Amino acid sequence: DAGVTQSPTHLIKTRGQQVTLRCSPKSGHDTVSWYQQALGQGPQFIFQYYEEEERQRGNFPDRFSGHQFPNYSSELNVNALLLGDSALYLCASSSLSGGALDTQYFGPGTRLTVL
Amino acid sequence: RKEVEQDPGPFNVPEGATVAFNCTYSNSASQSFFWYRQDCRKEPKLLMSVYSSGNEDGRFTAQLNRASQYISLLIRDSKLSDSATYLCVVNWRDTGRRALTFGSGTRLQVQP
């Protein structure tokens, strides 16, 4: 049973560029949440997708957008990258239909460096 | 004020010691509570949920005090492998939000 997978593992971009990160949820899970974790901080909620729609959003600008596909996988897009976007981006999956939405399982993350 | 506050540590303890971490949260409508463990440069992993009656999993005991909006984690007989950052996590009820809110974490270093 595959857990949550994310790609790529590492990414280096320059300011102003755009980036797309990918996530496949754990088998049987239908909800994907994205988090940003800066160095020395806890993860901060970006947004959550269920049934291919953004259901909730944290305090992040519109430069951060996402998508969920029919197979429940998800993408996180960040436009006009800033130095401050450098962080570990974590994807977490959970099951709304299973009634255990609060229990979220994290992928290994994508470490984004913006130069 | 942060929604979830933790002492960042680090806590440096010898093997076999008992160590306790505390966490406070600001929103009284919080619904669910967890402790996650995060190893250096790895993803957070669920350690245990926290229930009002308190719960234990082996050497780990979690307590919740809703009146004081306070959560604790007790680790007995510390092992070298317990060295990690421990994240206090809550989920709010009032907005219907189903996203986790993390503290900044408490770093534990168990020494031989």
Side-chain angles (χ1 to χ4, degrees):
Chain A
D1 177 21
V4 182
T5 60
Q6 291 186 245
S7 63
T9 306
H10 296 86
L11 206 50
I12 299 175
K13 292 286 189 178
T14 56
R15 279 177 296 176
Q17 284 190 310
Q18 179 264 344
V19 68
T20 297
L21 311 181
R22 296 175 176 83
C23 170
S24 291
K26 186 177 167 65
S27 178
H29 284 183
D30 52 20
T31 302
V32 173
S33 303
W34 287 93
Y35 295 81
Q36 179 196 65
Q37 186 174 24
L39 199 61
Q41 299 297 316
Q44 300 294 312
F45 174 68
I46 302 174
F47 44 53
Q48 184 177 82
Y49 277 84
Y50 171 67
E51 291 186 333
E52 302 179 47
E53 288 188 16
E54 182 184 295
R55 298 291 176 166
Q56 301 177 62
R57 189 177 185 91
N59 190 25
F60 278 80
D62 292 344
R63 297 187 297 110
F64 290 76
S65 63
H67 189 78
Q68 186 179 34
F69 299 94
N71 67 352
Y72 307 120
S73 66
S74 177
E75 288 182 349
L76 163 65
N77 301 294
V78 187
N79 295 323
L81 285 167
L82 304 173
L83 294 180
D85 294 332
S86 295
L88 179 67
Y89 287 84
L90 294 160
C91 168
S93 79
S94 51
S95 174
L96 176 61
S97 55
L101 185 59
D102 292 343
T103 303
Q104 298 189 11
Y105 297 88
F106 285 84
T110 294
R111 191 163 298 279
L112 173 64
T113 302
V114 182
L115 302 177
Chain B
R1 184 188 172 189
K2 288 185 178 179
E3 291 179 296
V4 180
E5 295 209 53
Q6 297 182 248
D7 181 341
F11 283 57
N12 294 301
V13 302
E15 272 186 290
T18 295
V19 61
F21 304 140
N22 303 318
C23 165
T24 56
Y25 58 94
S26 60
N27 191 328
S28 60
S30 300
Q31 180 178 28
S32 308
F33 309 89
F34 309 89
W35 284 100
Y36 275 72
R37 170 196 168 125
Q38 187 171 27
D39 293 292
C40 187
R41 304 184 75 81
K42 298 286 189 180
E43 73 273 24
K45 293 186 177 178
L46 179 64
L47 180 66
M48 58 197 303
S49 300
V50 187
Y51 304 113
S52 297
S53 55
N55 47 299
E56 188 174 306
D57 182 2
R59 298 181 294 109
F60 299 83
T61 300
Q63 295 279 353
L64 168 64
N65 184 323
R66 286 187 183 269
S68 302
Q69 295 177 207
Y70 171 95
I71 306 162
S72 66
L73 176 68
L74 184 76
I75 305 176
R76 293 181 298 278
D77 189 22
S78 298
K79 311 290 185 191
L80 294 175
S81 57
D82 293 334
S83 298
T85 295
Y86 290 83
L87 297 161
C88 176
V89 186
V90 305
N91 183 38
W92 314 123
R93 175 192 300 143
D94 55 353
T95 62
R97 200 169 84 177
R98 292 290 198 168
L100 304 179
T101 301
F102 287 78
S104 295
T106 299
R107 193 154 63 89
L108 171 66
Q109 183 66 48
V110 181
Q111 296 163 338

